[in-house]
Amino acid sequence: MSYELNRKLAAPREPLPATAAIDQVTADIIRGAFETVCFEAATYLGRAASSPIINQSNERNAAIVDAHGRLAMGAIGTPQLTFVNQMETRWGLMNQERYDWGPGDVFLANDPDHGGGHLPDYNVYGPVYDEHGELICIQTLQAHQGDTGGKDPGGFTLEATDVFTEGVIYPCLKLVHRGELRRDVFDMVVRNNRFATFAGDIAAMIGGVQHAAKMLEDLLGKWGAEVVKAAINHSIEHTEKRMHEEIAKWPDGAYEGTVLIDHDTAGTKDIKVHVTCTVKGDQLTVDLTGTDDRQDLVGVWNTFANSRSYVMTQVITHMDPTIVRNEGMFNAVEIVIPEGCIAQPPPNKPAALGSFHPACEITEAVCLALSQVAPERAQPQLYKIGMPNAVIGFDANGMMWMDQGVDCRSMDVSAVQGIDGWGSCPNSLGNLILSEAEDAESRFPILNISREMTTDGGGAGQWRGAPGSLNVKQVLKPTSAMAWMVSADHPLRGMCGGDDAIPYSNHFEVGSPNERKIEHTAQDLLPEGAVIAYQHGGGAGFGQPLLRDPEAVKEDVLDEYVSLEAARAKYGVVLTGSLDDYTLAVDHAATEALRAEMEAVAEAAE
C-alpha cells in the first residue's frame, strides 16, 4: 500500500483549468506576489514562535501548493524542506471530502508514510478558495518541532525499529474548522508534546497560515481566480523549460556517485547510497538503484518524500540559480527510487534519523555524479553531522528541557570550482541561522567553553574546504546525552582531485578518568561538570592541491587555516620566514621544484 501511495503522490499533475490568457509580465507579478506571501508566512512564524529552533534558528519553510497538488512556489526556508510540503498536502487533497475541507480550515500533518519527512517536521496548511468556492491553492508552513511525544525527547530514538516509537503521527488532522480553533484537538496535540514552548509554536504556525491565506484571498480578489491559475501554469511551464535548457548544455552520458555511511545506529557498517545521473539530450534521470536495501538496518531510513526533496535540492544547485523553485523542476527530471531501499522504506520504518543519513548521502552522491558535467557549480548541500549532541535534563519544577545542539559551528562547507569553502554552517541549512551560545546558556544549565576552527580541518585542493570547528561544552547539572556518530570512516568527499575533509569525532567527559570516544552511538548519563567535545569535519577540497596558488597557501597559513607542515606536504609550497612574526614568503623556485617532485612520485605510484 505504501509504495502504491508513493507512486500516486509523486505522479505528474495536470495544469489548472484556466480560461484567461496571460502575458509574461503579469505572470511574473503574480509569481512575485506568491514569493512575498511565503516570505510573510515564514516571517510571521519566526517572530511569533516560542522555541529558539524556530524563532532564532529559522528552521521553517513556507510554500504554496496549487489545487492539483503542484508546488506553485517554494521560496522560504532551508533548501531540503522546500520540496517536501507538496507531498503531504497532496495526501490531504486526495482525501478532502473525507476531512471536510472548506474556507478557513487549517490542517496538521507529519506522517512519513503519507508524503511527509520525519515526525519532527510538522506541516501546517490551509486551503484557499475564490469567491465562488473553488479551491485555488493551499498555503503551507513547515517547521521542525523540538519534540514529538515519542519514547525519547526530540523524537530521535537510536534503537527504534518502527515509526510508532518516535512519536505521535498525524496523517491529516484538522486544527481549525471554518476559522474556529478546535480546542479539543489543539489541546490533544499540545498534550502529546513534552515542551512548554510547543503550544506557542503550533499557534504561531496556525497564525502564519491564516495570515498568508488572507493575503492570497486578497490576491485572488485583485486579479481574479482565472488569471491567478493561468499565472501558476505559466510559472511552472517556464521553470520546466528553463530546466530542460540547462540539462541540454550537459554532455550526454551516465555519471555515477557512491557514498558510504559509517554505520547504522546498531553498528552495521558501510551503508551504501548509489546514484546514477543519466543525461540524454534535455532529459535528466536520477536513479538510486544500487542503494542499500538490507531490511534489518536501524536508523537509516529516509522517507520517499524526503529522498525526492534531497535529490532535487542538489540537482538545482548545478543550474542557473534564477530558475524559480516550483513543480516544473520535477516535471523536467525523472527520479527513480527503488522500493524497499533505505531511500524508499517499507511502511512504518523509523524516519527521524534518516533525515540526517542517508538523506545527506543522497545529495552528496548526486553532487559527485554531477560534478562530472557541471563542476563549476558542484557544491554538496548537506550536513555530515550524524546527529548533534542532544543534552537533556529537568528544571526545578520537573519540566523537561533539551539543548538540541543546533548551535554555532563550522562544518561541511566544501570548496567549489573557483571559490574556497567559507562560512559557519553547511550550505544545506541555507537560511537556518544556528543559535547563539549566549541564548543557549540563558535557557539551559550548560556552558559553551570554546568554539574554534581546526587548523587543517578542511580538505586540501586547488580550492580549499572550510575548516571544521571543535565545539567544547560543559553541563552544569547532571544530564543525559544522546549522539549518533558518523563521518569518521567516510568523511565528506573531495571532488575533481580535491582531498576529503577531516573525519568527525566526539568525546564525552573530557579530561576526566571516564573520558571516552563515541564510536557509533551514545545515550549516557553525564555528571555535573562533565565536558563534551565535538569535532566537526570541515569542507572537502576541489581540484588538485598542487594547482593551488602558492600565495593563497601562504595566506591560509597566516590565517591558521593550514599548518606550515600541510603547506609543504599537501600543497608542495615552500615558505621562508617565520609565522610568529608574520614574515612568511613563498620561495617560488623551491616550490616549483618540490611540486614537480611530488607529481613524479604520484605518477609513479599510479
Side-chain angles (χ1 to χ4, degrees):
M1 174 58 185
S2 176
Y3 300 140
E4 180 183 353
L5 177 59
N6 286 340
R7 289 192 291 272
K8 289 180 179 178
L9 293 176
R13 262 64 176 167
E14 293 295 321
L16 297 175
T19 59
I22 195 165
D23 59 85
Q24 178 76 52
V25 174
T26 303
D28 278 352
I29 289 172
I30 293 173
R31 178 203 57 76
F34 272 26
E35 189 169 355
T36 299
V37 170
C38 286
F39 178 83
E40 287 271 348
T43 302
Y44 183 109
L45 173 59
R47 291 180 176 177
S50 303
S51 298
I53 198 169
I54 301 174
N55 65 26
Q56 183 182 147
S57 296
N58 295 328
E59 189 166 352
R60 76 286 187 274
N61 175 69
I64 297 171
V65 177
D66 75 11
H68 284 181
R70 301 181 304 166
L71 182 66
M73 172 56 63
I76 301 299
T78 57
Q80 70 270 17
L81 294 180
T82 304
F83 302 114
V84 177
N85 302 47
Q86 76 269 36
M87 294 288 281
E88 280 181 308
T89 309
R90 284 178 182 179
W91 193 83
L93 271 169
M94 290 164 56
N95 295 275
Q96 57 182 297
E97 292 185 7
R98 178 179 181 180
Y99 291 103
D100 185 24
W101 280 34
D105 289 351
V106 179
F107 298 90
L108 165 65
N110 75 335
D111 192 337
D113 290 328
H114 291 79
H118 62 178
L119 290 184
D121 287 340
Y122 280 31
N123 182 19
V124 174
Y125 61 89
V128 178
Y129 298 81
D130 71 1
E131 60 183 354
H132 304 295
E134 179 186 358
L135 176 64
I136 305 299
C137 58
I138 303 101
Q139 176 65 52
T140 76
L141 260 180
Q142 191 174 35
H144 183 99
Q145 297 295 344
D147 188 55
T148 55
K151 172 182 175 292
D152 293 300
F156 298 106
T157 297
L158 298 171
E159 74 278 11
T161 55
D162 62 44
V163 71
F164 305 105
T165 309
E166 297 179 330
V168 185
I169 308 164
Y170 305 108
C172 180
L173 183 67
K174 185 182 285 191
L175 299 174
V176 178
H177 178 73
R178 306 303 191 264
E180 294 294 326
L181 180 68
R182 299 182 67 190
R183 176 58 64 179
D184 56 342
V185 175
F186 183 85
D187 289 350
M188 182 271 292
V189 172
V190 171
R191 183 68 179 97
N192 277 282
N193 194 286
R194 289 175 172 85
F195 299 122
T197 54
F198 175 74
D201 293 338
I202 199 70
M205 294 186 77
I206 293 170
V209 167
Q210 291 174 325
H211 173 65
K214 178 62 169 59
M215 294 182 70
L216 290 171
E217 289 170 358
D218 292 344
L219 188 70
L220 289 169
K222 177 178 180 179
W223 291 98
E226 295 303 316
V227 172
V228 171
K229 289 191 292 182
I232 293 172
N233 292 340
H234 184 283
S235 183
I236 291 174
E237 290 165 5
H238 184 67
T239 290
E240 181 177 355
K241 179 175 179 289
R242 291 286 311 279
M243 291 280 288
H244 284 303
E245 290 172 349
E246 291 284 303
I247 296 165
K249 299 175 185 177
W250 297 345
D252 285 359
Y255 307 94
E256 298 186 55
T258 300
V259 182
L260 297 177
I261 307 167
D262 292 10
H263 43 247
D264 69 359
T265 57
T268 304
K269 295 184 70 64
D270 296 340
I271 316 302
K272 184 172 73 170
V273 171
H274 181 79
V275 170
T276 302
C277 294
T278 302
V279 179
K280 186 175 182 181
D282 65 354
Q283 303 294 317
L284 173 64
T285 300
V286 180
D287 188 347
L288 273 66
T289 298
T291 294
D292 214 313
D293 60 1
R294 286 174 285 178
Q295 298 301 298
D296 58 347
L297 299 175
V298 181
V300 286
W301 300 96
N302 193 42
T303 72
F304 177 67
N306 252 357
S307 295
R308 289 177 79 249
S309 178
Y310 277 76
V311 165
M312 189 55 69
T313 295
Q314 190 63 60
V315 166
I316 62 174
T317 65
H318 288 76
M319 299 182 179
D320 187 335
T322 65
I323 299 175
V324 177
R325 272 58 171 156
N326 63 36
E327 194 69 26
M329 293 179 163
F330 290 96
N331 293 344
V333 179
E334 181 183 5
I335 300 175
V336 179
I337 306 176
E339 297 172 353
C341 77
I342 56 175
Q344 187 178 183
N348 299 324
K349 284 289 188 181
L353 293 168
S355 286
F356 293 100
H357 308 281
C360 290
E361 281 68 29
I362 291 172
T363 63
E364 186 177 5
V366 171
C367 188
L368 288 170
L370 292 183
S371 69
Q372 301 169 67
V373 296
E376 71 282 359
R377 297 199 59 83
Q379 165 59 262
Q381 307 291 302
L382 51 76
Y383 39 91
K384 295 279 282 186
I385 193 172
M387 67 175 286
N389 282 331
V391 182
I392 305 154
F394 295 86
D395 63 20
N397 298 318
M399 179 65 70
M400 179 176 286
W401 58 265
M402 180 168 67
D403 174 12
Q404 300 192 63
V406 287
D407 41 23
C408 300
R409 53 184 178 258
S410 173
M411 57 190 249
D412 303 335
V413 185
S414 292
V416 68
Q417 183 172 299
I419 303 175
D420 293 336
W422 61 275
S424 60
C425 70
N427 287 349
S428 70
L429 297 182
N431 292 319
L432 185 68
I433 304 168
L434 298 178
S435 59
E436 298 172 353
E438 294 83 0
D439 181 81
E441 290 175 351
S442 71
R443 295 171 182 266
F444 312 124
I446 60 169
L447 178 65
N448 291 281
I449 296 174
S450 65
R451 290 185 173 103
E452 53 188 49
M453 289 185 173
T454 303
T455 301
D456 296 331
Q462 186 175 4
W463 294 280
R464 168 192 45 74
S469 60
L470 178 65
N471 286 20
V472 182
K473 180 182 297 185
Q474 185 177 36
V475 299
L476 304 181
K477 292 183 178 180
T479 64
S480 60
M482 295 174 60
W484 173 33
M485 286 304 303
V486 301
S487 305
D489 297 334
H490 303 294
L492 185 55
R493 297 272 298 279
M495 286 182 291
C496 300
D499 284 356
D500 295 348
I502 64 168
Y504 274 73
S505 62
N506 196 4
H507 290 78
F508 281 8
E509 296 192 59
V510 176
S512 78
N514 292 326
E515 179 173 344
R516 56 198 178 277
K517 182 178 181 181
I518 307 305
E519 296 295 344
H520 59 86
T521 57
Q523 197 162 7
D524 298 353
L525 294 175
L526 299 179
E528 179 179 335
V531 174
I532 56 180
Y534 203 136
Q535 174 63 62
H536 299 273
F542 189 104
Q544 297 288 343
L546 295 183
L547 297 178
R548 185 165 178 79
D549 181 356
E551 292 294 333
V553 176
K554 181 194 76 174
E555 293 300 319
D556 286 343
V557 174
L558 289 171
D559 291 334
E560 300 183 18
Y561 293 151
V562 174
S563 66
L564 281 166
E565 295 76 16
R568 184 181 185 93
K570 290 284 188 181
Y571 293 100
V573 173
V574 179
L575 298 171
T576 61
S578 170
L579 177 60
D580 293 335
D581 58 10
Y582 300 102
T583 59
L584 290 180
V586 177
D587 185 330
H588 288 280
T591 294
E592 186 176 343
L594 177 58
R595 285 184 164 183
E597 179 184 337
M598 293 171 70
E599 288 174 355
V601 170
E603 290 175 1
E606 293 176 358

